[in-house]
Amino acid sequence: MFRLGNLTKYIPLPVLSGLVNGSALLIILAQLPLLLDTPLALSWEQPFPPDQELSLLTPLIGVVVIVVSWRKRAIFHQIPAPLVGIFSGCLLYYLLQQLGFDPLLGPVIGTVPHLLPAPRYSDDLYAILSRVELWSLLVKLLPLALGMAAINSLRTLTLCSVCESLLNRRIEPNRELLAQGLANLGNGLFGGIATAGSISGTLPAYHNGGRKRLTMIASGLFPLLILLLFHPVVSQIPTVVLAA
């Protein structure tokens, strides 16, 4: 409402490049333990777990997923690379399981919640706003809420700048921020996590042909379909496949 989205025009490209590549490095570091099938939290100073035997089969599945996703355009042109990689990794995982290598393989995702969330926090929010004796909570919560809002808004503005460089056209960042704010207001009532624009979700969609609003609609409806219909299938996907 204050048109703060116009600040995107002042974000330098080197800053965007640093943010995007920094995010990629953090994602890689967070997924390495799943790729190596180790519970140890790894770091750049300690990229491999000390004094711990590693199964080579789990990293092998991950490498296959990466290679297939990377090279899929030579075989499959219309199917998004992540889907081809996930299918290939799952096929190899369960083939090795049938051959008797189950003890050497990593875990699967496991139970996926399949209940629609309910706005169970709406009564609590109404109580805080309507009862004077609870207003002291607002004083404690407001700085934290504003901090989260600022961080998520900056993430979305960064994504808008990245999309502008990809599409060579102006994005409406103020509209994006307004939609994000309204979504997060409703999101909180359901106990959801405050969200923002996702580079890790947008760039794969773009590189696999997503250009129109239908892409955004599908990316919102697909998690809902997983909750309602596909949760038994998704629960059996190996974690190493998603990490790769």
Side-chain angles (χ1 to χ4, degrees):
M1 291 172 62
F2 289 102
R3 316 295 294 176
L4 295 178
N6 296 331
L7 295 175
T8 54
K9 67 179 73 173
Y10 301 110
I11 301 179
L13 288 179
V15 173
L16 292 178
S17 178
L19 287 172
V20 173
N21 286 284
S23 299
L25 293 175
L26 289 174
I27 291 172
I28 291 173
L29 191 60
Q31 298 304 312
L32 270 180
L34 296 176
L35 194 65
L36 300 175
D37 190 22
T38 171
L40 182 68
L42 304 180
S43 64
W44 296 115
E45 295 79 14
Q46 190 179 69
F48 299 100
D51 303 326
Q52 183 175 346
E53 293 185 4
L54 295 176
S55 170
L56 295 179
L57 289 181
T58 300
L60 173 63
I61 295 172
V63 170
V64 168
V65 174
I66 294 172
V67 172
V68 170
S69 300
W70 206 336
R71 300 296 301 169
K72 76 95 191 176
R73 293 185 184 279
I75 306 172
F76 304 98
H77 297 282
Q78 301 300 324
I79 305 177
L83 288 181
V84 179
I86 288 174
F87 179 80
S88 303
C90 290
L91 188 64
L92 178 58
Y93 179 92
Y94 285 105
L95 176 62
L96 292 172
Q97 189 180 73
Q98 292 299 316
L99 294 176
F101 293 103
D102 193 28
L104 301 177
L105 299 175
V108 297
I109 291 178
T111 304
V112 177
H114 53 276
L115 294 175
L116 284 176
R120 60 185 184 277
Y121 290 100
S122 56
D123 291 340
D124 297 331
L125 179 62
Y126 176 76
I128 292 176
L129 296 177
S130 60
R131 293 167 57 182
V132 177
E133 63 271 21
L134 294 179
W135 284 4
S136 59
L137 285 175
L138 290 177
V139 178
K140 297 178 181 179
L141 294 176
L142 193 57
L144 300 175
L146 289 175
M148 293 176 63
I151 292 173
N152 281 341
S153 297
L154 288 173
R155 286 179 57 193
T156 298
L157 292 179
T158 301
L159 178 61
C160 288
S161 296
V162 172
C163 291
E164 285 180 351
S165 63
L166 284 173
L167 301 174
N168 291 319
R169 63 179 176 83
R170 180 67 176 164
I171 304 293
E172 291 294 335
N174 292 306
R175 185 173 61 185
E176 297 292 334
L177 288 180
L178 185 61
Q180 174 182 308
L182 293 174
N184 281 331
L185 282 173
N187 198 15
L189 299 178
F190 289 82
I193 298 173
T195 186
S198 170
I199 292 176
S200 61
T202 301
L203 291 185
Y206 175 83
H207 290 306
N208 285 283
R211 297 292 188 276
K212 300 184 182 298
R213 289 193 175 95
L214 183 61
T215 303
M216 295 186 289
I217 296 173
S219 67
L221 291 179
F222 190 69
L224 184 62
L225 290 176
I226 290 177
L227 283 176
L228 296 177
L229 301 175
F230 302 138
H231 53 91
V233 177
V234 174
S235 65
Q236 299 303 313
I237 297 178
T239 55
V240 64
V241 171
L242 293 186

